[in-house]
Amino acid sequence: MQDGSALAVSVGQKTGGSREKGLNRVLEILEFLHTTQRAIGIGDLAKGVNAPRSTTYTVVRSLVEAGLLEMAGDGNRVYFGKKLYLYGMDYVRGNDLLRRGRQEVDHLSRETGETSELCMLQSGRYTIVHSSPGTRPFRISSATGLQIPLPWTASGRLLLAGLERADIEAMVSEDDLTLPDGRRLLLDDFITDIATARATGYCVTSGLVDAYTKCLAVPVFSAPGKIEATMCLVVPIDTSEERTGNLLGLLRDRAARLSIGG
Amino acid sequence: MQDGSALAVSVGQKTGGSREKGLNRVLEILEFLHTTQRAIGIGDLAKGVNAPRSTTYTVVRSLVEAGLLEMAGDGNRVYFGKKLYLYGMDYVRGNDLLRRGRQEVDHLSRETGETSELCMLQSGRYTIVHSSPGTRPFRISSATGLQIPLPWTASGRLLLAGLERADIEAMVSEDDLTLPDGRRLLLDDFITDIATARATGYCVTSGLVDAYTKCLAVPVFSAPGKIEATMCLVVPIDTSEERTGNLLGLLRDRAARLSIGG
DNA sequence: TACAAACGTCTCTTGTAAGAGACGATCGCT
DNA sequence: AGCGATCGTCTCTTACAAGAGACGTTTGTA
């Protein structure tokens, strides 16, 4: 149990010191490679996931043989393999919303010049599933696959719309309510925000994760009332009211086109 | 049994009927989902990978929690999850060749109207990594991620160019030398083909995997002399000599643009 | 050239997870 | 309603993998 949640929160977390299940080792390795975003030596990998070297060698060998990982060019580093790419494409193929959502996001960022993102809940956490960087000289961009606490984002407020208070509390930890700059959010305020977002059908946050950006988010429905994802635009915080309104309009159009029911 | 051994081939050693490692169960499950290309019930999944039901439930639960799998809409079926998509995108990001290769392949199929594919070796087997279907009324298409015996394909002859005879023998099983229609290839002929392909810088096969198609393949180099992938066009077998020559020319241009050294 | 650190492989032990199977709850068919 | 098939969960046993650690090799640096 503890192990599961430790893994969920972060990979560099210490283990309980006892023996670890092989499957968990695999998950930790994958997650670690996802954070490093580059090939890494097996020894470093072992350190990174805090696993014994011998175990790491064994697990990595299995994964390389299976094609989930590949040895990188120089021969003693590993990174993701073709199999994961193929499975990932299978996921896209089987997921209309994602496939179309990617297109809409790409289109939106071309149309507006702003950074645009498609976001979803994943295992109860907020994830940027696809992002398209926009054309500003100084880009505001986020890594896809990044996990951010729900209360830090506009999208988070929409993704939780429709859940019971108890469910929301379960998904939000104490730490999640502390912003990067140290400010504290109140759970009640957050829940109020969620209700508002639900009622108005959009959510705008300013200077939440950092001091320079404003985030406009709208829901994407997979069925009437069921919010499956959000589309959002990340814009400079000093964007005028007028332009913000216009962008929100475009965003809503795109999201509506993507939604089923709503 | 048939299922088990068929899977065992792609995943690793066949099961002796004894206890199976958890990691292997995971690999089998992923591979099975890749072949079905759709969400499947856990019970059926257990049957499909020839695993005990209780084990399958446990493993699937772990994978769902980790986000590698997701429960499909109705709630009792599973398929690939967002995590696999994210890891797959990481792979693409870290792999210039694949990223650019996809573009070239897409362009080529638009330009020629024919089915175009990017192929690579994976764990010593031939894999269609990306394919773009072309515009003919009756499309000739292959599933991406499909594993085909090397001797059945034009690309296979190029991908093995530069290997020692012993290495080639190790990669090719007896079964691989039997074509789908029952004809047998001779290993020596295959090795001669490889040498020829290497010398001429392309390979054309006619009516090998089926009676209707011709396959034109050219190498993609990742370093001087190192063939990392192939690009190929799949065309009707009655395509004229002249058009075949023209297509081959286009193909070589595209592959050259993709190659580093050569 | 010598030394330290990291690499890759092996062996052996023991904690633990894979699997058999039972259980009640649902489902679907007649 | 009655029946069989499948579902999802649970318990318990033991076969086996996770891990500690030793070993020889390679790397790099003083």
Side-chain angles (χ1 to χ4, degrees):
Chain A
M1 284 289 174
Q2 321 65 324
D3 286 348
S5 62
L7 178 66
V9 171
S10 99
V11 165
Q13 201 65 2
K14 75 148 182 64
T15 70
S18 92
R19 212 163 146 188
E20 192 59 66
K21 187 154 63 168
L23 173 49
N24 281 340
R25 291 299 186 200
V26 172
L27 300 177
E28 287 165 12
I29 286 172
L30 295 177
E31 202 55 26
F32 186 78
L33 289 176
H34 179 62
T35 64
T36 63
Q37 287 280 321
R38 52 192 286 219
I40 187 175
I42 300 182
D44 292 336
L45 183 58
K47 279 197 204 95
V49 300
N50 201 24
R53 239 159 39 86
S54 54
T55 303
T56 309
Y57 271 96
T58 311
V59 172
V60 166
R61 181 184 298 133
S62 295
L63 293 177
V64 168
E65 272 169 19
L68 295 207
L69 300 184
E70 276 173 25
M71 303 306 298
D74 49 348
N76 55 354
R77 293 167 174 270
V78 284
Y79 196 54
F80 293 120
K82 284 185 222 4
K83 270 282 165 60
L84 285 171
Y85 159 70
L86 295 171
Y87 296 157
M89 297 314 286
D90 287 342
Y91 177 76
V92 175
R93 205 171 300 126
N95 195 316
D96 267 357
L97 193 87
L98 175 56
R99 191 172 55 231
R100 289 159 50 225
R102 288 175 56 108
Q103 290 173 8
E104 296 294 350
V105 162
D106 289 344
H107 184 104
L108 193 62
S109 77
R110 245 179 290 123
E111 188 179 13
T112 64
E114 307 287 357
T115 296
S116 175
E117 294 169 350
L118 183 71
C119 311
M120 294 184 178
L121 273 185
Q122 158 161 294
S123 332
R125 297 187 300 283
Y126 165 92
T127 307
I128 300 174
V129 165
H130 181 64
S131 102
S132 191
T135 54
R136 287 184 177 277
F138 296 98
R139 292 178 182 174
I140 303 162
S141 69
S142 322
T144 61
L146 203 63
Q147 306 261 12
I148 299 178
L150 290 159
W152 298 10
T153 67
S155 292
R157 284 157 174 75
L158 284 163
L159 288 169
L160 296 185
L163 269 62
E164 303 295 330
R165 188 193 168 96
D167 297 330
I168 295 175
E169 286 182 23
M171 279 197 190
V172 174
S173 76
E174 270 306 303
D175 291 345
D176 290 353
L177 291 168
T178 306
L179 294 175
D181 62 5
R183 279 181 295 162
R184 294 274 306 166
L185 293 176
L186 293 176
L187 183 61
D188 282 331
D189 291 347
F190 181 55
I191 290 178
T192 307
D193 284 354
I194 293 173
T196 308
R198 183 182 197 185
T200 59
Y202 69 91
C203 182
V204 176
T205 58
S206 280
L208 219 52
V209 285
D210 64 59
Y212 323 105
T213 58
K214 192 190 282 195
C215 187
L216 328 180
V218 299
V220 174
F221 296 89
S222 63
K226 171 136 200 257
I227 297 178
E228 182 82 16
T230 64
M231 281 177 69
C232 69
L233 284 170
V234 183
V235 303
I237 200 166
D238 56 6
T239 303
S240 71
E241 279 298 317
E242 189 194 350
R243 178 161 166 78
T244 301
N246 290 340
L247 290 174
L248 200 52
L250 287 174
L251 192 56
R252 298 183 82 154
D253 286 350
R254 288 282 144 192
R257 171 175 328 204
L258 203 48
S259 290
I260 303 167
Chain B
M1 266 302 173
Q2 328 49 333
D3 286 348
S5 59
L7 262 165
V9 171
S10 63
V11 165
Q13 198 61 356
K14 82 154 180 61
T15 72
S18 89
R19 212 163 146 188
E20 192 60 67
K21 187 154 60 169
L23 174 49
N24 282 340
R25 291 298 186 201
V26 171
L27 300 178
E28 286 165 12
I29 286 172
L30 295 177
E31 202 56 26
F32 187 78
L33 289 176
H34 179 62
T35 64
T36 62
Q37 287 281 320
R38 51 191 289 216
I40 188 177
I42 300 182
D44 292 336
L45 183 57
K47 280 196 203 100
V49 301
N50 202 21
R53 238 158 39 88
S54 53
T55 304
T56 309
Y57 271 96
T58 311
V59 172
V60 166
R61 182 183 299 132
S62 296
L63 293 176
V64 168
E65 273 169 19
L68 296 208
L69 300 184
E70 277 173 24
M71 304 305 298
D74 49 349
N76 55 354
R77 293 166 173 269
V78 283
Y79 195 53
F80 293 120
K82 285 186 220 10
K83 271 282 164 61
L84 285 173
Y85 159 71
L86 294 171
Y87 296 157
M89 296 315 284
D90 287 342
Y91 176 76
V92 175
R93 205 172 300 125
N95 195 315
D96 268 356
L97 193 88
L98 175 56
R99 191 171 56 231
R100 290 159 50 224
R102 288 174 57 109
Q103 289 173 8
E104 296 294 350
V105 162
D106 289 344
H107 184 104
L108 193 63
S109 77
R110 246 179 289 119
E111 188 179 14
T112 65
E114 306 287 357
T115 296
S116 175
E117 294 169 350
L118 183 70
C119 311
M120 294 183 178
L121 272 186
Q122 158 161 297
S123 332
R125 296 187 301 282
Y126 164 92
T127 308
I128 300 174
V129 165
H130 180 64
S131 102
S132 191
T135 54
R136 288 185 175 277
F138 295 99
R139 292 177 183 174
I140 303 162
S141 69
S142 321
T144 61
L146 203 62
Q147 307 261 10
I148 298 178
L150 290 158
W152 297 12
T153 68
S155 292
R157 285 159 174 73
L158 285 162
L159 289 169
L160 297 186
L163 269 62
E164 303 295 328
R165 187 193 168 95
D167 297 330
I168 296 174
E169 286 182 23
M171 280 199 188
V172 175
S173 76
E174 270 306 302
D175 290 346
D176 290 352
L177 291 167
T178 305
L179 294 175
D181 63 4
R183 279 180 294 162
R184 294 274 305 166
L185 293 175
L186 293 176
L187 182 61
D188 282 330
D189 291 347
F190 180 55
I191 289 177
T192 306
D193 284 356
I194 293 173
T196 308
R198 182 181 197 185
T200 59
Y202 70 91
C203 182
V204 177
T205 58
S206 280
L208 220 51
V209 286
D210 64 58
Y212 322 104
T213 58
K214 191 190 283 195
C215 188
L216 327 181
V218 300
V220 174
F221 295 90
S222 63
K226 171 138 200 255
I227 297 177
E228 181 83 16
T230 63
M231 281 178 68
C232 70
L233 284 170
V234 183
V235 303
I237 200 167
D238 56 6
T239 303
S240 71
E241 279 298 315
E242 188 194 349
R243 178 161 167 79
T244 301
N246 291 341
L247 290 174
L248 201 52
L250 288 173
L251 193 56
R252 298 183 84 156
D253 287 350
R254 288 280 145 193
R257 170 175 329 203
L258 202 50
S259 290
I260 303 165

PDB file of all heavy atoms in Angstrom, chain A residues 213-235:
ATOM      1  N   THR A 213       1.885  33.540 -16.039  1.00  0.00           N
ATOM      2  CA  THR A 213       0.936  32.947 -16.976  1.00  0.00           C
ATOM      3  C   THR A 213      -0.488  32.943 -16.455  1.00  0.00           C
ATOM      4  O   THR A 213      -0.752  32.922 -15.262  1.00  0.00           O
ATOM      5  CB  THR A 213       1.330  31.488 -17.303  1.00  0.00           C
ATOM      6  OG1 THR A 213       1.377  30.752 -16.091  1.00  0.00           O
ATOM      7  CG2 THR A 213       2.659  31.435 -18.000  1.00  0.00           C
ATOM      8  N   LYS A 214      -1.348  32.951 -17.425  1.00  0.00           N
ATOM      9  CA  LYS A 214      -2.772  32.845 -17.192  1.00  0.00           C
ATOM     10  C   LYS A 214      -3.199  31.587 -17.920  1.00  0.00           C
ATOM     11  O   LYS A 214      -2.672  31.274 -18.986  1.00  0.00           O
ATOM     12  CB  LYS A 214      -3.452  34.068 -17.809  1.00  0.00           C
ATOM     13  CG  LYS A 214      -4.897  34.281 -17.424  1.00  0.00           C
ATOM     14  CD  LYS A 214      -5.536  35.361 -18.278  1.00  0.00           C
ATOM     15  CE  LYS A 214      -5.150  36.761 -17.849  1.00  0.00           C
ATOM     16  NZ  LYS A 214      -6.043  37.789 -18.454  1.00  0.00           N
ATOM     17  N   CYS A 215      -4.116  30.844 -17.365  1.00  0.00           N
ATOM     18  CA  CYS A 215      -4.520  29.592 -17.982  1.00  0.00           C
ATOM     19  C   CYS A 215      -6.019  29.598 -18.224  1.00  0.00           C
ATOM     20  O   CYS A 215      -6.808  29.803 -17.295  1.00  0.00           O
ATOM     21  CB  CYS A 215      -4.124  28.423 -17.085  1.00  0.00           C
ATOM     22  SG  CYS A 215      -4.393  26.839 -17.834  1.00  0.00           S
ATOM     23  N   LEU A 216      -6.424  29.410 -19.500  1.00  0.00           N
ATOM     24  CA  LEU A 216      -7.843  29.339 -19.850  1.00  0.00           C
ATOM     25  C   LEU A 216      -8.181  27.893 -20.168  1.00  0.00           C
ATOM     26  O   LEU A 216      -7.539  27.297 -21.025  1.00  0.00           O
ATOM     27  CB  LEU A 216      -8.155  30.181 -21.090  1.00  0.00           C
ATOM     28  CG  LEU A 216      -7.360  31.461 -21.350  1.00  0.00           C
ATOM     29  CD1 LEU A 216      -7.854  32.113 -22.631  1.00  0.00           C
ATOM     30  CD2 LEU A 216      -7.475  32.400 -20.184  1.00  0.00           C
ATOM     31  N   ALA A 217      -9.167  27.359 -19.492  1.00  0.00           N
ATOM     32  CA  ALA A 217      -9.516  25.958 -19.723  1.00  0.00           C
ATOM     33  C   ALA A 217     -11.005  25.785 -19.949  1.00  0.00           C
ATOM     34  O   ALA A 217     -11.819  26.503 -19.365  1.00  0.00           O
ATOM     35  CB  ALA A 217      -9.074  25.104 -18.534  1.00  0.00           C
ATOM     36  N   VAL A 218     -11.327  24.844 -20.822  1.00  0.00           N
ATOM     37  CA  VAL A 218     -12.729  24.494 -21.047  1.00  0.00           C
ATOM     38  C   VAL A 218     -12.850  22.974 -21.077  1.00  0.00           C
ATOM     39  O   VAL A 218     -11.900  22.284 -21.403  1.00  0.00           O
ATOM     40  CB  VAL A 218     -13.260  25.070 -22.382  1.00  0.00           C
ATOM     41  CG1 VAL A 218     -13.170  26.587 -22.376  1.00  0.00           C
ATOM     42  CG2 VAL A 218     -12.507  24.495 -23.559  1.00  0.00           C
ATOM     43  N   PRO A 219     -14.035  22.467 -20.731  1.00  0.00           N
ATOM     44  CA  PRO A 219     -14.208  21.017 -20.656  1.00  0.00           C
ATOM     45  C   PRO A 219     -14.442  20.367 -22.018  1.00  0.00           C
ATOM     46  O   PRO A 219     -14.966  21.008 -22.929  1.00  0.00           O
ATOM     47  CB  PRO A 219     -15.460  20.860 -19.779  1.00  0.00           C
ATOM     48  CG  PRO A 219     -16.242  22.097 -20.044  1.00  0.00           C
ATOM     49  CD  PRO A 219     -15.237  23.191 -20.287  1.00  0.00           C
ATOM     50  N   VAL A 220     -14.042  19.107 -22.111  1.00  0.00           N
ATOM     51  CA  VAL A 220     -14.374  18.271 -23.264  1.00  0.00           C
ATOM     52  C   VAL A 220     -15.198  17.110 -22.733  1.00  0.00           C
ATOM     53  O   VAL A 220     -14.765  16.398 -21.826  1.00  0.00           O
ATOM     54  CB  VAL A 220     -13.105  17.737 -23.948  1.00  0.00           C
ATOM     55  CG1 VAL A 220     -13.460  16.763 -25.053  1.00  0.00           C
ATOM     56  CG2 VAL A 220     -12.268  18.884 -24.480  1.00  0.00           C
ATOM     57  N   PHE A 221     -16.400  16.944 -23.297  1.00  0.00           N
ATOM     58  CA  PHE A 221     -17.307  15.917 -22.792  1.00  0.00           C
ATOM     59  C   PHE A 221     -17.226  14.647 -23.639  1.00  0.00           C
ATOM     60  O   PHE A 221     -17.126  14.710 -24.865  1.00  0.00           O
ATOM     61  CB  PHE A 221     -18.749  16.424 -22.818  1.00  0.00           C
ATOM     62  CG  PHE A 221     -18.991  17.591 -21.906  1.00  0.00           C
ATOM     63  CD1 PHE A 221     -18.808  18.899 -22.346  1.00  0.00           C
ATOM     64  CD2 PHE A 221     -19.398  17.386 -20.591  1.00  0.00           C
ATOM     65  CE1 PHE A 221     -19.031  19.977 -21.505  1.00  0.00           C
ATOM     66  CE2 PHE A 221     -19.624  18.456 -19.746  1.00  0.00           C
ATOM     67  CZ  PHE A 221     -19.437  19.751 -20.193  1.00  0.00           C
ATOM     68  N   SER A 222     -17.260  13.504 -22.955  1.00  0.00           N
ATOM     69  CA  SER A 222     -17.315  12.235 -23.685  1.00  0.00           C
ATOM     70  C   SER A 222     -18.746  11.707 -23.697  1.00  0.00           C
ATOM     71  O   SER A 222     -19.059  10.782 -24.428  1.00  0.00           O
ATOM     72  CB  SER A 222     -16.391  11.221 -23.038  1.00  0.00           C
ATOM     73  OG  SER A 222     -16.825  10.938 -21.735  1.00  0.00           O
ATOM     74  N   ALA A 223     -19.584  12.283 -22.873  1.00  0.00           N
ATOM     75  CA  ALA A 223     -21.007  11.958 -22.832  1.00  0.00           C
ATOM     76  C   ALA A 223     -21.656  13.113 -22.103  1.00  0.00           C
ATOM     77  O   ALA A 223     -20.974  13.862 -21.408  1.00  0.00           O
ATOM     78  CB  ALA A 223     -21.246  10.644 -22.089  1.00  0.00           C
ATOM     79  N   PRO A 224     -22.984  13.280 -22.255  1.00  0.00           N
ATOM     80  CA  PRO A 224     -23.617  14.410 -21.579  1.00  0.00           C
ATOM     81  C   PRO A 224     -23.268  14.424 -20.096  1.00  0.00           C
ATOM     82  O   PRO A 224     -23.514  13.461 -19.389  1.00  0.00           O
ATOM     83  CB  PRO A 224     -25.115  14.141 -21.803  1.00  0.00           C
ATOM     84  CG  PRO A 224     -25.157  13.362 -23.076  1.00  0.00           C
ATOM     85  CD  PRO A 224     -23.922  12.508 -23.078  1.00  0.00           C
ATOM     86  N   GLY A 225     -22.636  15.501 -19.659  1.00  0.00           N
ATOM     87  CA  GLY A 225     -22.318  15.649 -18.245  1.00  0.00           C
ATOM     88  C   GLY A 225     -20.997  15.044 -17.825  1.00  0.00           C
ATOM     89  O   GLY A 225     -20.506  15.314 -16.749  1.00  0.00           O
ATOM     90  N   LYS A 226     -20.436  14.196 -18.677  1.00  0.00           N
ATOM     91  CA  LYS A 226     -19.176  13.530 -18.298  1.00  0.00           C
ATOM     92  C   LYS A 226     -17.973  14.251 -18.910  1.00  0.00           C
ATOM     93  O   LYS A 226     -17.761  14.214 -20.122  1.00  0.00           O
ATOM     94  CB  LYS A 226     -19.210  12.074 -18.760  1.00  0.00           C
ATOM     95  CG  LYS A 226     -17.874  11.370 -18.602  1.00  0.00           C
ATOM     96  CD  LYS A 226     -18.031   9.976 -18.027  1.00  0.00           C
ATOM     97  CE  LYS A 226     -16.715   9.491 -17.423  1.00  0.00           C
ATOM     98  NZ  LYS A 226     -16.025   8.530 -18.267  1.00  0.00           N
ATOM     99  N   ILE A 227     -17.196  14.899 -18.039  1.00  0.00           N
ATOM    100  CA  ILE A 227     -16.011  15.608 -18.517  1.00  0.00           C
ATOM    101  C   ILE A 227     -14.855  14.639 -18.608  1.00  0.00           C
ATOM    102  O   ILE A 227     -14.398  14.090 -17.607  1.00  0.00           O
ATOM    103  CB  ILE A 227     -15.661  16.773 -17.569  1.00  0.00           C
ATOM    104  CG1 ILE A 227     -16.802  17.797 -17.575  1.00  0.00           C
ATOM    105  CG2 ILE A 227     -14.351  17.434 -18.003  1.00  0.00           C
ATOM    106  CD1 ILE A 227     -16.580  18.961 -16.640  1.00  0.00           C
ATOM    107  N   GLU A 228     -14.388  14.418 -19.801  1.00  0.00           N
ATOM    108  CA  GLU A 228     -13.348  13.414 -20.031  1.00  0.00           C
ATOM    109  C   GLU A 228     -11.980  14.060 -20.101  1.00  0.00           C
ATOM    110  O   GLU A 228     -10.969  13.431 -19.821  1.00  0.00           O
ATOM    111  CB  GLU A 228     -13.640  12.693 -21.351  1.00  0.00           C
ATOM    112  CG  GLU A 228     -12.670  11.595 -21.709  1.00  0.00           C
ATOM    113  CD  GLU A 228     -13.000  10.291 -20.987  1.00  0.00           C
ATOM    114  OE1 GLU A 228     -14.141  10.174 -20.469  1.00  0.00           O
ATOM    115  OE2 GLU A 228     -12.130   9.413 -20.933  1.00  0.00           O
ATOM    116  N   ALA A 229     -11.950  15.314 -20.512  1.00  0.00           N
ATOM    117  CA  ALA A 229     -10.675  15.999 -20.705  1.00  0.00           C
ATOM    118  C   ALA A 229     -10.921  17.502 -20.673  1.00  0.00           C
ATOM    119  O   ALA A 229     -12.068  17.954 -20.571  1.00  0.00           O
ATOM    120  CB  ALA A 229     -10.063  15.603 -22.040  1.00  0.00           C
ATOM    121  N   THR A 230      -9.843  18.259 -20.747  1.00  0.00           N
ATOM    122  CA  THR A 230      -9.979  19.698 -20.938  1.00  0.00           C
ATOM    123  C   THR A 230      -9.016  20.139 -22.020  1.00  0.00           C
ATOM    124  O   THR A 230      -7.997  19.505 -22.261  1.00  0.00           O
ATOM    125  CB  THR A 230      -9.641  20.496 -19.658  1.00  0.00           C
ATOM    126  OG1 THR A 230      -8.264  20.286 -19.329  1.00  0.00           O
ATOM    127  CG2 THR A 230     -10.505  20.067 -18.495  1.00  0.00           C
ATOM    128  N   MET A 231      -9.392  21.220 -22.693  1.00  0.00           N
ATOM    129  CA  MET A 231      -8.442  21.892 -23.564  1.00  0.00           C
ATOM    130  C   MET A 231      -8.096  23.201 -22.894  1.00  0.00           C
ATOM    131  O   MET A 231      -8.968  23.860 -22.316  1.00  0.00           O
ATOM    132  CB  MET A 231      -9.056  22.182 -24.927  1.00  0.00           C
ATOM    133  CG  MET A 231      -9.085  20.988 -25.853  1.00  0.00           C
ATOM    134  SD  MET A 231      -9.893  21.385 -27.410  1.00  0.00           S
ATOM    135  CE  MET A 231      -8.710  22.511 -28.126  1.00  0.00           C
ATOM    136  N   CYS A 232      -6.840  23.586 -22.959  1.00  0.00           N
ATOM    137  CA  CYS A 232      -6.525  24.865 -22.353  1.00  0.00           C
ATOM    138  C   CYS A 232      -5.472  25.632 -23.130  1.00  0.00           C
ATOM    139  O   CYS A 232      -4.705  25.074 -23.925  1.00  0.00           O
ATOM    140  CB  CYS A 232      -6.122  24.696 -20.892  1.00  0.00           C
ATOM    141  SG  CYS A 232      -4.569  23.899 -20.658  1.00  0.00           S
ATOM    142  N   LEU A 233      -5.496  26.925 -22.934  1.00  0.00           N
ATOM    143  CA  LEU A 233      -4.507  27.828 -23.512  1.00  0.00           C
ATOM    144  C   LEU A 233      -3.703  28.436 -22.372  1.00  0.00           C
ATOM    145  O   LEU A 233      -4.266  28.851 -21.359  1.00  0.00           O
ATOM    146  CB  LEU A 233      -5.200  28.947 -24.296  1.00  0.00           C
ATOM    147  CG  LEU A 233      -5.760  28.566 -25.662  1.00  0.00           C
ATOM    148  CD1 LEU A 233      -6.624  29.698 -26.210  1.00  0.00           C
ATOM    149  CD2 LEU A 233      -4.631  28.258 -26.642  1.00  0.00           C
ATOM    150  N   VAL A 234      -2.399  28.475 -22.556  1.00  0.00           N
ATOM    151  CA  VAL A 234      -1.530  29.100 -21.563  1.00  0.00           C
ATOM    152  C   VAL A 234      -1.012  30.392 -22.174  1.00  0.00           C
ATOM    153  O   VAL A 234      -0.300  30.370 -23.174  1.00  0.00           O
ATOM    154  CB  VAL A 234      -0.352  28.180 -21.216  1.00  0.00           C
ATOM    155  CG1 VAL A 234       0.502  28.804 -20.129  1.00  0.00           C
ATOM    156  CG2 VAL A 234      -0.852  26.817 -20.785  1.00  0.00           C
ATOM    157  N   VAL A 235      -1.405  31.510 -21.584  1.00  0.00           N
ATOM    158  CA  VAL A 235      -1.067  32.813 -22.183  1.00  0.00           C
ATOM    159  C   VAL A 235      -0.381  33.697 -21.147  1.00  0.00           C
ATOM    160  O   VAL A 235      -0.467  33.438 -19.944  1.00  0.00           O
ATOM    161  CB  VAL A 235      -2.339  33.523 -22.699  1.00  0.00           C
ATOM    162  CG1 VAL A 235      -3.077  32.645 -23.699  1.00  0.00           C
ATOM    163  CG2 VAL A 235      -3.260  33.886 -21.548  1.00  0.00           C
TER     164      VAL A 235
END
